[in-house]
């Protein structure tokens, strides 16, 4: 079984969705026969770090949201993340553009370290408040997961893997992705948003049981009928 995951490193629900899928996979009997591939997506291609401004101020300025609303919204997201033992430090977080991080992740995947890069970059951004658009930061993080730091520096000094990142983003639009995280199972079923673990487990079992050479139209599943956390280019918030 192959699972493709479109996500962005600054997407809070992407980290939560990733953890929920992983928790579901731990309960799945055939977990060792699953291939997971992370796909690039940028919530805000124009995102940038503004020196001297904190995350809330930057987000408010670039997105046009009232500061008070921005703070309250992200506090709620951090509380939800804590239920998965994830720590989101929005107070010290550094707003960043993720294009170069995605390029390094593509390089990492080529070296067999794609999963490690994804987890490391998410943790660095949300928990450690590292500026993941900074090249030196990306080089250090890549080194921590066993990648050659000099090769990573060469990647960042060039435009290597830029087309691969753009290809993933175009592909997302082609299959109807409107927000992330977005999980595609064998190009047969899709889950949009950080759905509950039970949804992921049910989907894993359903796809496994129905495994066939037939490739029907992609169907987006939401068996609970509830809104799940999903990030769009307008921002992230918990639906009520």
């Amino acid at each position: 079984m192959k699972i493709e995951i479109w996500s962005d490193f600054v997407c809070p629900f992407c980290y939560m969705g990733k953890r929920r899928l992983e928790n579901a996979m731990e309960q799945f009997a055939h977990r060792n026969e699953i291939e997971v591939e992370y796909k690039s997506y940028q919530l805000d291609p124009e995102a940038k770090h503004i020196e001297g401004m904190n995350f809330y101020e930057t987000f408010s300025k670039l997105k046009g949201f009232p500061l008070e609303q921005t703070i309250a919204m992200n506090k709620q997201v951090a509380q939800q993340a804590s239920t998965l033992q994830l720590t989101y430090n929005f107070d010290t977080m550094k707003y960043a553009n993720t294009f170069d991080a995605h390029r390094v992740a593509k390089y990492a995947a080529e070296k067999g370290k794609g999963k490690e890069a994804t987890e490391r970059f998410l943790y660095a951004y949300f928990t450690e408040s590292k500026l993941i658009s900074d090249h030196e930061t990306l080089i250090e993080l890549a080194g921590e997961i066993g990648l050659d730091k000099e090769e990573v520096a060469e990647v960042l000094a060039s435009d290597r893997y830029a087309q691969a990142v753009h290809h993933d983003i175009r592909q997302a639009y082609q299959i109807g992705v409107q927000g992330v995280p977005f999980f595609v199972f064998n190009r047969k079923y899709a889950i949009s948003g950080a759905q509950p673990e039970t949804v992921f487990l049910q989907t894993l079992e359903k796809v496994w049981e129905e495994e066939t050479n037939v490739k029907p139209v992609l169907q987006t599943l939401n068996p609970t009928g509830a809104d799940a956390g999903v990030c769009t280019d307008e921002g992230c918030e918990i639906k009520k």
Side-chain angles (χ1 to χ4, degrees), residues 27-83:
Q27 305 168 57
F28 183 59
H30 307 286
R31 56 184 174 275
N32 293 329
E33 299 180 61
I34 298 175
E35 175 191 355
V36 176
E37 179 182 355
Y38 290 94
K39 299 280 194 176
S40 303
Y41 192 92
Q42 279 197 287
L43 288 169
D44 183 4
E46 303 303 319
K48 59 183 178 180
H49 175 66
I50 302 177
E51 197 66 39
M53 295 180 65
N54 63 31
F55 174 88
Y56 304 120
E57 293 167 339
T58 304
F59 188 92
S60 178
K61 176 181 175 64
L62 296 179
K63 295 295 184 180
F65 286 6
L67 183 59
E68 296 76 11
Q69 179 184 344
T70 298
I71 294 172
M73 177 176 68
N74 286 291
K75 293 289 187 183
Q76 289 182 358
V77 171
Q79 179 59 40
Q80 185 171 332
S82 70
T83 66

Side-chain angles (χ1 to χ4, degrees), residues 153-204:
E154 290 173 2
V155 168
L156 288 168
S158 69
D159 64 352
R160 289 169 59 189
Y161 303 99
Q163 289 304 313
V165 173
H166 288 308
H167 174 75
D168 280 358
I169 295 171
R170 286 196 301 270
Q171 196 174 44
Y173 291 129
Q174 289 168 359
I175 66 173
V177 177
Q178 297 181 336
V180 289
F182 195 83
F183 307 80
V184 176
F185 297 73
N186 277 6
R187 290 297 174 102
K188 186 176 183 180
Y189 295 110
I191 291 177
S192 177
Q195 296 279 353
E197 290 173 20
T198 53
V199 174
F200 285 111
L201 184 57
Q202 289 167 7
T203 305
L204 289 168

Side-chain angles (χ1 to χ4, degrees), residues 87-112:
T87 302
Y88 287 6
N89 292 313
F90 284 105
D91 290 349
T92 55
M93 204 173 290
K94 296 179 175 63
Y95 202 86
N97 189 290
T98 58
F99 188 76
D100 285 337
H102 280 297
R103 291 200 298 124
V104 174
K106 287 296 183 187
Y107 164 78
E110 191 175 272
K111 299 295 182 181

Side-chain angles (χ1 to χ4, degrees), residues 7-20 43 55 59 70 73-82 84 86-90 93 95 98 122-123 125-127 180-181 183 193-194 228-232 235-238:
S7 63
D8 198 3
F9 299 119
V10 296
C11 163
F13 289 115
C14 291
Y15 204 2
M16 284 187 261
K18 176 180 183 294
R19 193 62 85 242
R20 285 174 178 161
L43 288 169
F55 174 88
F59 188 92
T70 298
M73 177 176 68
N74 286 291
K75 293 289 187 183
Q76 289 182 358
V77 171
Q79 179 59 40
Q80 185 171 332
S82 70
L84 292 165
L86 296 175
T87 302
Y88 287 6
N89 292 313
F90 284 105
M93 204 173 290
Y95 202 86
T98 58
L122 286 165
Y123 185 81
Y125 180 75
F126 285 104
T127 304
V180 289
F183 307 80
V230 65
C231 294
T232 69
C236 308
E237 64 178 320
I238 299 173

